[in-house]
């Protein structure tokens, strides 16, 4: 069973940057497609970015050009580099498999708060 632990969130001013990490347990991590999601208060969980096992990436329109997803299979970790942060990026960020795959148990997420 894969377990996911997100970290790296915090409070940042608009225009700032943060890098989130998602550490995964389990030996199959290197063959997993992974994604970052976020959920703002009162809103549904939103897919932010995905990365395949081979490193191909896709981004939601609202973060394209500002966020970068990457992975280190040796460390079983997926990263989300977030630049030019906006107040509307404020949310709890989670990692998991992309929507077309069965999700693993959701972690606690990491809170990102962007002040204006």
């Amino acid at each position: 069973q894969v377990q996911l632990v997100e970290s790296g969130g915090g409070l940042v001013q608009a225009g700032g940057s943060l890098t989130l990490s998602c550490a995964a347990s389990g030996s199959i991590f290197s063959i997993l497609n992974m994604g970052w999601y976020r959920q703002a208060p009162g809103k549904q969980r939103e897919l932010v970015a995905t990365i395949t096992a081979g490193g191909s990436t896709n981004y939601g329109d609202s973060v394209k050009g500002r966020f970068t997803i990457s992975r280190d299979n040796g460390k079983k970790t997926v990263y989300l580099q977030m630049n030019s942060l906006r107040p509307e990026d404020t949310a709890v960020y989670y990692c998991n498999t992309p929507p077309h795959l069965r999700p693993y148990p959701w972690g606690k997420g990491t809170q990102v708060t962007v002040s204006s």
Side-chain angles (χ1 to χ4, degrees), residues 33-104:
N33 294 347
M34 294 295 296
W36 279 98
Y37 299 77
R38 66 186 181 187
Q39 187 167 20
K43 295 188 177 181
Q44 288 191 332
R45 190 171 288 159
E46 170 192 18
L47 179 65
V48 173
T50 60
I51 186 166
T52 67
S56 296
T57 59
N58 273 293
Y59 299 92
D61 288 343
S62 62
V63 306
K64 204 170 292 184
R66 300 188 298 122
F67 290 11
T68 303
I69 188 172
S70 62
R71 66 191 298 157
D72 184 331
N73 289 335
K75 295 182 178 179
K76 299 182 182 179
T77 301
V78 179
Y79 302 98
L80 187 68
Q81 172 68 44
M82 307 186 295
N83 298 325
S84 302
L85 283 162
R86 305 167 180 170
E88 54 263 40
D89 295 318
T90 295
V92 179
Y93 285 71
Y94 304 86
C95 65
N96 215 311
T97 52
H100 66 282
L101 298 176
R102 190 177 79 173
Y104 287 99

